[in-house]
Structure formats: structure tokens, C-alpha cells
Coordinates of all heavy atoms in Angstrom, one line a residue:
A18 N 37.0 117.2 -22.4 CA 36.3 115.9 -22.6 C 37.0 115.1 -23.7 O 37.4 115.6 -24.7 CB 34.9 116.2 -23.1
L19 N 37.2 113.8 -23.4 CA 37.9 112.9 -24.3 C 36.9 112.3 -25.3 O 37.3 112.2 -26.5 CB 38.6 111.8 -23.5 CG 39.7 112.2 -22.6 CD1 40.2 111.0 -21.8 CD2 40.9 112.8 -23.4
M20 N 35.7 111.9 -24.8 CA 34.8 111.2 -25.7 C 33.5 111.2 -25.1 O 33.3 111.2 -23.8 CB 35.4 109.7 -25.8 CG 34.5 108.8 -26.6 SD 35.0 107.1 -26.4 CE 36.7 107.1 -26.9
Q21 N 32.4 111.1 -25.9 CA 31.1 110.9 -25.4 C 30.7 109.5 -25.6 O 31.1 108.8 -26.5 CB 30.1 111.9 -26.1 CG 30.4 113.3 -25.7 CD 29.2 114.2 -26.1 OE1 28.5 114.0 -27.1 NE2 29.1 115.3 -25.4
L22 N 29.9 109.0 -24.6 CA 29.4 107.6 -24.5 C 27.9 107.6 -24.5 O 27.3 108.5 -24.1 CB 30.0 106.9 -23.3 CG 31.5 107.0 -23.1 CD1 31.9 106.5 -21.7 CD2 32.3 106.2 -24.2
E23 N 27.3 106.4 -24.8 CA 25.9 106.2 -24.7 C 25.1 107.4 -25.4 O 24.3 108.1 -24.8 CB 25.4 106.1 -23.3 CG 25.9 104.8 -22.6 CD 25.2 103.6 -23.3 OE1 24.0 103.6 -23.5 OE2 26.0 102.6 -23.5
R24 N 25.5 107.6 -26.7 CA 24.8 108.6 -27.5 C 24.9 110.0 -26.9 O 23.9 110.8 -27.0 CB 23.4 108.2 -27.8 CG 23.3 107.0 -28.7 CD 21.9 106.6 -29.0 NE 21.8 105.1 -28.9 CZ 21.0 104.5 -28.2 NH1 20.1 105.0 -27.5 NH2 21.0 103.2 -28.1
G25 N 26.0 110.3 -26.2 CA 26.2 111.6 -25.7 C 25.7 111.8 -24.3 O 25.9 112.9 -23.7
E26 N 25.1 110.8 -23.7 CA 24.6 110.9 -22.3 C 25.7 111.0 -21.3 O 25.5 111.7 -20.3 CB 23.7 109.7 -22.0 CG 22.9 109.9 -20.7 CD 21.8 108.8 -20.5 OE1 21.4 108.1 -21.5 OE2 21.4 108.7 -19.4
F27 N 26.8 110.3 -21.5 CA 27.9 110.4 -20.6 C 29.2 110.8 -21.3 O 29.3 110.6 -22.6 CB 28.2 109.0 -20.0 CG 27.1 108.6 -19.1 CD1 26.0 107.8 -19.6 CD2 27.0 109.0 -17.7 CE1 25.0 107.4 -18.7 CE2 26.0 108.6 -16.9 CZ 25.0 107.8 -17.4
T28 N 30.1 111.4 -20.6 CA 31.3 111.9 -21.2 C 32.6 111.4 -20.4 O 32.5 111.4 -19.2 CB 31.3 113.5 -21.2 OG1 30.2 113.9 -21.9 CG2 32.6 114.1 -21.8
L29 N 33.6 111.0 -21.2 CA 34.9 110.6 -20.6 C 35.7 111.9 -20.4 O 35.9 112.6 -21.4 CB 35.5 109.6 -21.5 CG 36.7 108.8 -21.0 CD1 36.2 107.9 -19.8 CD2 37.2 107.9 -22.1
V30 N 36.2 112.1 -19.2 CA 36.9 113.3 -18.9 C 38.3 112.9 -18.3 O 38.5 112.0 -17.6 CB 36.1 114.1 -17.8 CG1 36.9 115.3 -17.4 CG2 34.7 114.4 -18.2
E31 N 39.3 113.8 -18.7 CA 40.7 113.6 -18.2 C 41.1 114.9 -17.5 O 40.9 116.0 -18.0 CB 41.6 113.4 -19.4 CG 43.1 113.2 -19.0 CD 43.9 113.1 -20.3 OE1 44.2 114.1 -21.0 OE2 44.4 111.9 -20.5
K32 N 41.5 114.7 -16.2 CA 42.0 115.8 -15.4 C 43.3 115.5 -14.8 O 43.5 114.5 -14.3 CB 41.0 116.1 -14.3 CG 39.6 116.6 -14.7 CD 39.6 117.9 -15.3 CE 39.9 119.0 -14.3 NZ 39.8 120.4 -14.8
I33 N 44.2 116.5 -14.9 CA 45.5 116.4 -14.2 C 45.4 117.1 -12.8 O 45.0 118.3 -12.8 CB 46.7 117.0 -15.0 CG1 46.8 116.2 -16.3 CG2 48.0 117.0 -14.2 CD1 47.8 116.7 -17.3
V34 N 45.8 116.4 -11.8 CA 45.6 117.0 -10.4 C 46.9 117.7 -10.1 O 48.0 117.2 -10.0 CB 45.4 115.8 -9.4 CG1 45.3 116.4 -8.0 CG2 44.2 115.0 -9.7
R35 N 46.8 119.0 -9.9 CA 47.9 119.9 -9.6 C 48.1 120.0 -8.1 O 47.1 119.9 -7.3 CB 47.7 121.3 -10.2 CG 47.5 121.3 -11.7 CD 48.7 120.9 -12.4 NE 48.5 120.9 -13.9 CZ 49.2 120.2 -14.7 NH1 50.1 119.4 -14.3 NH2 48.9 120.3 -16.0
S36 N 49.3 120.2 -7.6 CA 49.6 120.3 -6.2 C 48.8 121.5 -5.7 O 48.6 122.5 -6.4 CB 51.1 120.4 -5.9 OG 51.6 121.6 -6.5
G37 N 48.4 121.4 -4.4 CA 47.6 122.5 -3.8 C 46.1 122.4 -4.0 O 45.4 123.1 -3.3
L38 N 45.6 121.4 -4.8 CA 44.2 121.3 -4.9 C 43.6 120.5 -3.8 O 44.3 119.7 -3.1 CB 43.9 120.6 -6.3 CG 44.2 121.3 -7.5 CD1 43.9 120.5 -8.8 CD2 43.6 122.7 -7.5
A39 N 42.4 120.7 -3.5 CA 41.7 120.1 -2.3 C 41.7 118.6 -2.3 O 41.6 117.9 -1.3 CB 40.3 120.7 -2.1
V40 N 41.6 118.0 -3.5 CA 41.5 116.5 -3.6 C 42.9 115.8 -3.4 O 42.8 114.6 -3.1 CB 41.0 116.1 -5.0 CG1 39.6 116.6 -5.2 CG2 41.9 116.5 -6.2
V41 N 44.0 116.5 -3.4 CA 45.3 115.9 -3.1 C 45.3 115.3 -1.7 O 45.0 116.0 -0.7 CB 46.4 116.9 -3.4 CG1 47.8 116.3 -3.0 CG2 46.5 117.3 -4.8
G42 N 45.7 114.1 -1.6 CA 45.8 113.4 -0.3 C 44.5 112.8 0.2 O 44.5 112.3 1.3
R43 N 43.5 112.9 -0.6 CA 42.2 112.4 -0.1 C 41.9 111.1 -0.8 O 42.3 110.8 -2.0 CB 41.1 113.4 -0.5 CG 41.2 114.6 0.4 CD 40.1 115.6 0.1 NE 38.8 115.1 0.6 CZ 37.7 115.6 0.2 NH1 37.6 116.7 -0.6 NH2 36.5 115.1 0.7
K44 N 41.2 110.2 -0.1 CA 40.8 108.9 -0.6 C 39.6 109.1 -1.6 O 38.8 110.0 -1.4 CB 40.4 107.9 0.5 CG 41.5 107.5 1.4 CD 40.9 106.6 2.5 CE 42.0 106.2 3.5 NZ 41.4 105.4 4.5
I45 N 39.5 108.2 -2.5 CA 38.3 108.3 -3.5 C 37.0 108.3 -2.7 O 36.1 109.0 -3.0 CB 38.4 107.1 -4.4 CG1 39.6 107.1 -5.3 CG2 37.1 107.0 -5.3 CD1 39.6 108.1 -6.4
S46 N 37.0 107.5 -1.6 CA 35.7 107.4 -0.8 C 35.4 108.7 -0.1 O 34.3 108.9 0.3 CB 35.9 106.3 0.2 OG 36.9 106.5 1.1
E47 N 36.4 109.6 0.0 CA 36.2 110.9 0.7 C 35.7 112.0 -0.2 O 35.3 113.1 0.2 CB 37.4 111.4 1.4 CG 37.9 110.4 2.5 CD 39.3 110.8 3.0 OE1 40.1 111.5 2.4 OE2 39.6 110.3 4.1
L48 N 35.7 111.7 -1.5 CA 35.4 112.7 -2.5 C 33.8 112.9 -2.6 O 33.1 111.9 -2.5 CB 35.9 112.4 -3.9 CG 37.4 112.2 -4.0 CD1 37.8 111.9 -5.4 CD2 38.2 113.5 -3.5
D49 N 33.4 114.1 -2.8 CA 32.0 114.3 -3.0 C 31.7 114.6 -4.5 O 31.4 115.8 -4.8 CB 31.6 115.5 -2.1 CG 30.1 115.8 -2.1 OD1 29.3 114.8 -2.4 OD2 29.7 116.9 -1.8
L50 N 31.8 113.6 -5.3 CA 31.7 113.7 -6.7 C 30.2 113.9 -7.1 O 29.3 113.5 -6.4 CB 32.2 112.5 -7.4 CG 33.7 112.1 -7.2 CD1 34.0 110.8 -7.9 CD2 34.6 113.2 -7.8
P51 N 29.9 114.7 -8.2 CA 28.6 114.8 -8.6 C 27.9 113.4 -8.8 O 28.6 112.4 -9.1 CB 28.7 115.5 -10.0 CG 30.0 116.2 -9.9 CD 30.9 115.4 -9.0
G52 N 26.6 113.3 -8.6 CA 25.8 112.1 -8.6 C 26.1 111.1 -9.6 O 26.3 109.9 -9.3
Y53 N 26.2 111.4 -10.9 CA 26.5 110.4 -11.9 C 27.9 110.6 -12.5 O 28.1 110.8 -13.7 CB 25.4 110.6 -13.0 CG 24.0 110.2 -12.6 CD1 23.1 111.2 -12.3 CD2 23.6 108.9 -12.4 CE1 21.8 110.9 -11.8 CE2 22.4 108.6 -12.0 CZ 21.5 109.5 -11.7 OH 20.2 109.2 -11.3
S54 N 28.9 110.5 -11.6 CA 30.2 110.5 -12.1 C 31.1 109.6 -11.2 O 30.7 109.3 -10.1 CB 30.8 112.0 -12.0 OG 30.7 112.5 -10.7
L55 N 32.2 109.1 -11.8 CA 33.1 108.3 -11.0 C 34.5 108.4 -11.6 O 34.7 108.7 -12.8 CB 32.6 106.8 -11.0 CG 32.5 106.1 -12.4 CD1 33.8 105.4 -12.8 CD2 31.4 105.1 -12.2
I56 N 35.5 108.1 -10.8 CA 36.9 108.1 -11.2 C 37.1 106.6 -11.7 O 37.1 105.7 -10.9 CB 37.9 108.4 -10.1 CG1 37.5 109.8 -9.5 CG2 39.3 108.4 -10.6 CD1 37.6 111.0 -10.4
S57 N 37.3 106.4 -12.9 CA 37.4 105.1 -13.5 C 38.9 104.6 -13.6 O 39.1 103.3 -13.6 CB 36.7 104.9 -14.8 OG 37.3 105.9 -15.7
A58 N 39.8 105.5 -13.7 CA 41.2 105.1 -13.8 C 42.1 106.3 -13.4 O 41.7 107.4 -13.4 CB 41.6 104.6 -15.2
I59 N 43.3 106.0 -12.9 CA 44.3 107.0 -12.6 C 45.6 106.5 -13.3 O 46.0 105.4 -13.2 CB 44.6 107.1 -11.1 CG1 43.3 107.5 -10.4 CG2 45.7 108.1 -10.8 CD1 43.3 107.5 -8.9
T60 N 46.3 107.5 -13.9 CA 47.7 107.2 -14.4 C 48.6 108.0 -13.5 O 48.4 109.2 -13.2 CB 47.9 107.5 -15.9 OG1 47.6 108.8 -16.1 CG2 47.1 106.6 -16.7
R61 N 49.6 107.3 -13.0 CA 50.6 107.9 -12.0 C 52.0 107.4 -12.4 O 52.2 106.2 -12.4 CB 50.2 107.5 -10.6 CG 51.1 108.0 -9.5 CD 50.7 107.5 -8.1 NE 49.4 108.0 -7.8 CZ 48.6 107.4 -6.9 NH1 48.9 106.3 -6.4 NH2 47.4 108.0 -6.6
E62 N 52.8 108.3 -12.7 CA 54.2 107.9 -13.0 C 54.3 106.8 -14.1 O 55.1 105.9 -14.0 CB 55.0 107.5 -11.8 CG 55.1 108.7 -10.8 CD 55.7 108.3 -9.4 OE1 56.1 107.1 -9.3 OE2 55.8 109.1 -8.6
G63 N 53.4 107.0 -15.1 CA 53.5 106.0 -16.2 C 52.8 104.7 -16.0 O 52.8 103.8 -16.8
K64 N 52.1 104.6 -14.8 CA 51.4 103.3 -14.5 C 49.9 103.6 -14.4 O 49.5 104.6 -13.9 CB 51.9 102.7 -13.1 CG 53.4 102.3 -13.2 CD 53.8 101.8 -11.9 CE 55.3 101.4 -12.0 NZ 55.9 101.1 -10.7
L65 N 49.2 102.6 -14.8 CA 47.7 102.6 -14.8 C 47.2 102.0 -13.5 O 47.6 100.9 -13.1 CB 47.1 101.9 -16.0 CG 45.6 101.9 -16.1 CD1 45.1 103.3 -16.4 CD2 45.2 101.0 -17.2
I66 N 46.4 102.8 -12.8 CA 45.9 102.3 -11.5 C 44.3 102.2 -11.6 O 43.7 103.1 -12.2 CB 46.2 103.3 -10.4 CG1 47.7 103.4 -10.2 CG2 45.5 103.0 -9.1 CD1 48.1 104.6 -9.4
K67 N 43.8 101.0 -11.2 CA 42.4 100.9 -11.1 C 42.0 101.3 -9.7 O 42.2 100.6 -8.7 CB 42.0 99.4 -11.3 CG 40.5 99.1 -11.2 CD 40.3 97.6 -11.4 CE 38.8 97.3 -11.1 NZ 38.6 95.9 -11.1
P68 N 41.4 102.5 -9.5 CA 41.2 103.0 -8.2 C 40.0 102.3 -7.5 O 39.1 101.8 -8.1 CB 40.8 104.5 -8.4 CG 40.2 104.5 -9.8 CD 41.0 103.4 -10.5
D69 N 40.2 102.2 -6.1 CA 39.1 101.7 -5.3 C 38.9 102.8 -4.2 O 39.5 103.8 -4.3 CB 39.4 100.3 -4.7 CG 40.7 100.3 -3.8 OD1 41.0 101.4 -3.2 OD2 41.3 99.2 -3.7
D70 N 38.0 102.5 -3.3 CA 37.6 103.5 -2.3 C 38.8 104.0 -1.4 O 38.8 105.1 -0.9 CB 36.6 103.0 -1.3 CG 35.2 102.9 -2.0 OD1 35.0 103.5 -3.1 OD2 34.3 102.3 -1.4
E71 N 39.9 103.1 -1.3 CA 41.0 103.5 -0.5 C 42.2 104.2 -1.2 O 43.1 104.6 -0.6 CB 41.6 102.2 0.2 CG 40.6 101.6 1.2 CD 40.2 102.5 2.3 OE1 41.1 103.0 3.0 OE2 38.9 102.7 2.5
T72 N 42.0 104.3 -2.6 CA 43.1 104.9 -3.4 C 43.2 106.4 -3.0 O 42.2 107.1 -2.9 CB 42.7 104.8 -4.9 OG1 42.6 103.4 -5.2 CG2 43.8 105.4 -5.7
V73 N 44.4 106.9 -2.7 CA 44.6 108.2 -2.3 C 45.1 109.0 -3.6 O 46.0 108.6 -4.3 CB 45.7 108.3 -1.2 CG1 46.0 109.8 -0.9 CG2 45.2 107.6 0.0
I74 N 44.5 110.1 -3.8 CA 44.9 111.0 -5.0 C 46.1 111.7 -4.7 O 46.2 112.3 -3.6 CB 43.7 111.9 -5.4 CG1 42.5 111.1 -5.8 CG2 44.1 112.9 -6.4 CD1 41.3 111.9 -6.1
Q75 N 47.1 111.7 -5.6 CA 48.3 112.4 -5.4 C 48.5 113.5 -6.5 O 47.9 113.5 -7.5 CB 49.5 111.5 -5.5 CG 49.5 110.4 -4.5 CD 50.6 109.4 -4.7 OE1 51.6 109.6 -5.4 NE2 50.6 108.3 -3.9
A76 N 49.3 114.5 -6.1 CA 49.6 115.6 -7.1 C 50.2 115.0 -8.3 O 51.0 114.0 -8.3 CB 50.5 116.6 -6.5
E77 N 49.8 115.5 -9.5 CA 50.3 115.1 -10.8 C 49.6 113.8 -11.3 O 49.9 113.3 -12.4 CB 51.8 115.0 -10.9 CG 52.5 116.3 -10.6 CD 51.9 117.5 -11.4 OE1 51.7 117.4 -12.6 OE2 51.7 118.5 -10.7
D78 N 48.7 113.2 -10.5 CA 47.9 112.1 -11.0 C 47.0 112.6 -12.2 O 46.6 113.7 -12.2 CB 46.9 111.6 -10.0 CG 47.5 110.6 -8.9 OD1 48.7 110.3 -9.1 OD2 46.8 110.3 -8.0
K79 N 46.8 111.7 -13.2 CA 45.9 112.0 -14.3 C 44.7 111.2 -14.0 O 44.8 109.9 -14.0 CB 46.5 111.7 -15.6 CG 45.6 112.1 -16.8 CD 46.3 111.7 -18.1 CE 47.5 112.5 -18.4 NZ 48.1 112.3 -19.7
L80 N 43.6 111.8 -13.7 CA 42.3 111.1 -13.5 C 41.5 110.9 -14.7 O 41.4 111.9 -15.5 CB 41.5 111.9 -12.5 CG 42.1 112.3 -11.2 CD1 41.1 113.1 -10.3 CD2 42.7 111.1 -10.4
I81 N 41.0 109.7 -14.9 CA 40.1 109.5 -16.0 C 38.7 109.2 -15.4 O 38.6 108.3 -14.6 CB 40.5 108.2 -16.9 CG1 42.0 108.3 -17.3 CG2 39.5 108.0 -18.0 CD1 42.3 109.5 -18.2
A82 N 37.8 110.1 -15.7 CA 36.5 110.0 -15.0 C 35.4 109.9 -16.1 O 35.6 110.3 -17.3 CB 36.2 111.2 -14.2
I83 N 34.3 109.3 -15.7 CA 33.1 109.2 -16.5 C 32.0 110.0 -15.8 O 31.8 109.8 -14.6 CB 32.6 107.8 -16.8 CG1 33.7 107.0 -17.5 CG2 31.3 107.8 -17.6 CD1 33.4 105.5 -17.6
A84 N 31.4 110.9 -16.5 CA 30.3 111.8 -15.8 C 29.2 111.9 -16.8 O 29.3 111.9 -18.0 CB 30.9 113.2 -15.5
H85 N 28.0 112.1 -16.2 CA 26.8 112.5 -17.0 C 27.2 113.8 -17.7 O 27.8 114.7 -17.1 CB 25.6 112.7 -16.1 CG 24.3 112.8 -16.8 ND1 24.0 114.1 -17.3 CD2 23.4 112.0 -17.2 CE1 22.8 113.9 -17.9 NE2 22.5 112.7 -17.9
T86 N 26.9 113.9 -18.9 CA 27.3 115.0 -19.7 C 26.9 116.3 -19.1 O 27.6 117.3 -19.1 CB 26.8 114.9 -21.2 OG1 27.3 113.7 -21.7 CG2 27.1 116.1 -22.0
G87 N 25.7 116.4 -18.4 CA 25.3 117.6 -17.8 C 26.0 117.9 -16.5 O 25.8 119.0 -16.0
Q88 N 26.9 117.0 -16.0 CA 27.6 117.3 -14.8 C 29.1 117.4 -15.1 O 29.9 117.5 -14.1 CB 27.4 116.1 -13.8 CG 25.9 116.1 -13.3 CD 25.7 115.0 -12.4 OE1 26.2 113.9 -12.5 NE2 24.9 115.2 -11.4
V89 N 29.6 117.4 -16.3 CA 31.0 117.5 -16.6 C 31.6 118.8 -16.0 O 32.7 118.8 -15.4 CB 31.2 117.4 -18.1 CG1 32.7 117.8 -18.5 CG2 30.9 116.0 -18.6
E90 N 30.9 119.9 -16.2 CA 31.5 121.2 -15.7 C 31.5 121.2 -14.2 O 32.5 121.6 -13.5 CB 30.6 122.3 -16.2 CG 31.2 123.7 -15.8 CD 30.5 124.9 -16.5 OE1 29.8 124.7 -17.5 OE2 30.6 126.0 -15.9
E91 N 30.5 120.6 -13.5 CA 30.5 120.5 -12.1 C 31.6 119.6 -11.6 O 32.3 120.0 -10.6 CB 29.1 120.0 -11.6 CG 28.9 119.8 -10.1 CD 27.6 119.3 -9.7 OE1 26.7 119.0 -10.6 OE2 27.4 119.0 -8.5
L92 N 31.8 118.5 -12.2 CA 32.9 117.6 -11.9 C 34.3 118.3 -12.0 O 35.1 118.3 -11.1 CB 32.9 116.3 -12.7 CG 34.1 115.4 -12.5 CD1 34.1 114.8 -11.1 CD2 34.0 114.3 -13.6
S93 N 34.5 119.0 -13.1 CA 35.7 119.7 -13.4 C 36.0 120.8 -12.3 O 37.1 120.9 -11.8 CB 35.7 120.3 -14.8 OG 36.9 121.0 -15.1
D94 N 34.9 121.5 -12.0 CA 35.1 122.6 -11.0 C 35.4 122.0 -9.6 O 36.3 122.5 -8.9 CB 33.8 123.4 -10.9 CG 33.5 124.3 -12.1 OD1 34.4 124.5 -12.9 OD2 32.4 124.8 -12.2
Y95 N 34.8 120.9 -9.3 CA 35.0 120.2 -8.0 C 36.5 119.7 -7.9 O 37.2 120.0 -6.9 CB 34.1 119.0 -7.8 CG 34.4 118.2 -6.5 CD1 34.0 118.7 -5.3 CD2 35.1 117.1 -6.6 CE1 34.3 118.0 -4.1 CE2 35.4 116.4 -5.4 CZ 35.0 116.8 -4.2 OH 35.3 116.2 -3.1
L96 N 37.0 119.1 -9.0 CA 38.4 118.6 -9.0 C 39.4 119.7 -9.0 O 40.5 119.5 -8.6 CB 38.6 117.6 -10.2 CG 37.7 116.4 -10.1 CD1 37.9 115.6 -11.4 CD2 38.1 115.5 -8.9
D97 N 39.0 120.9 -9.5 CA 40.0 122.0 -9.5 C 39.9 122.9 -8.3 O 40.7 123.9 -8.2 CB 39.7 122.9 -10.8 CG 40.1 122.2 -12.1 OD1 41.0 121.4 -12.0 OD2 39.6 122.5 -13.1
R98 N 39.1 122.6 -7.3 CA 39.0 123.4 -6.1 C 40.3 123.4 -5.3 O 41.0 122.4 -5.2 CB 37.9 123.0 -5.2 CG 36.6 123.3 -5.7 CD 35.5 122.9 -4.6 NE 34.2 123.0 -5.2 CZ 33.2 122.2 -4.9 NH1 33.3 121.4 -3.9 NH2 32.1 122.3 -5.5
K99 N 40.7 124.6 -4.8 CA 41.9 124.7 -3.9 C 41.5 124.6 -2.5 O 40.4 124.9 -2.1 CB 42.6 126.0 -4.3 CG 43.2 125.9 -5.7 CD 44.1 127.1 -5.9 CE 44.7 127.0 -7.3 NZ 45.7 127.9 -7.6

């Protein structure tokens, strides 16, 4: 977790997507993220990307997500699935 927001209700999370994970090659719109979470930014090869539903996740992307604090572990587990 990078930072808590709204008096700890939400948490800013950073995840590096490793090759071989289930999210690689999938569009943001295809992800089944926990209810109160979203991918707010991606850094790829030193560039900042504002993702939309059509953005495809690539290996080595760094995802910046915001999640309800109670769902941070669920989000992390989902993004780390193989």
C-alpha cells in the first residue's frame, strides 16, 4: 500500500504485473476487480498511461490502483493470479 485516502477508507496500491499472470493481455474492461477498486494509472516503459476500458495490461506494467481498504488483499490476490 502506498497511501491511505479518505481517513483510511480507501488505499492507493501499486502492483507490478509479472509475465505469466492471468491479467497479462487482458483489457481493463475484462478484469473482474473487487467492487470498490479501480486501476487509476499504469506506468509502462517510463511513460504514464491513463487507462480506459480498452487498455491492455502488459507484463512489467506498474499498476496504480485505488481500493476500499477492506478489499486491498482481495485486489492484490486477483492481480497476482496465474
Side-chain angles (χ1 to χ4, degrees):
L19 294 174
M20 173 189 310
Q21 290 194 332
L22 309 168
E23 289 296 313
R24 294 180 221 127
E26 190 170 343
F27 294 93
T28 302
L29 195 61
V30 178
E31 177 183 76
K32 294 292 287 184
I33 297 174
V34 179
R35 302 295 178 202
S36 62
L38 295 180
V40 297
V41 174
R43 294 182 65 196
K44 294 179 183 179
I45 297 285
S46 61
E47 298 172 340
L48 302 180
D49 188 22
L50 299 174
Y53 292 102
S54 60
L55 60 90
I56 307 297
S57 56
I59 298 173
T60 57
R61 178 182 296 154
E62 298 175 359
K64 295 180 181 170
L65 182 64
I66 297 168
K67 179 182 172 187
D69 61 28
D70 285 347
E71 297 299 308
T72 303
V73 176
I74 296 176
Q75 297 180 12
E77 302 309 314
D78 279 354
K79 186 181 292 184
L80 307 180
I81 307 299
I83 300 172
H85 187 276
T86 299
Q88 294 179 321
V89 169
E90 188 173 336
E91 182 181 354
L92 174 64
S93 183
D94 290 347
Y95 177 79
L96 295 174
D97 286 337
R98 285 186 194 150
K99 292 187 177 191

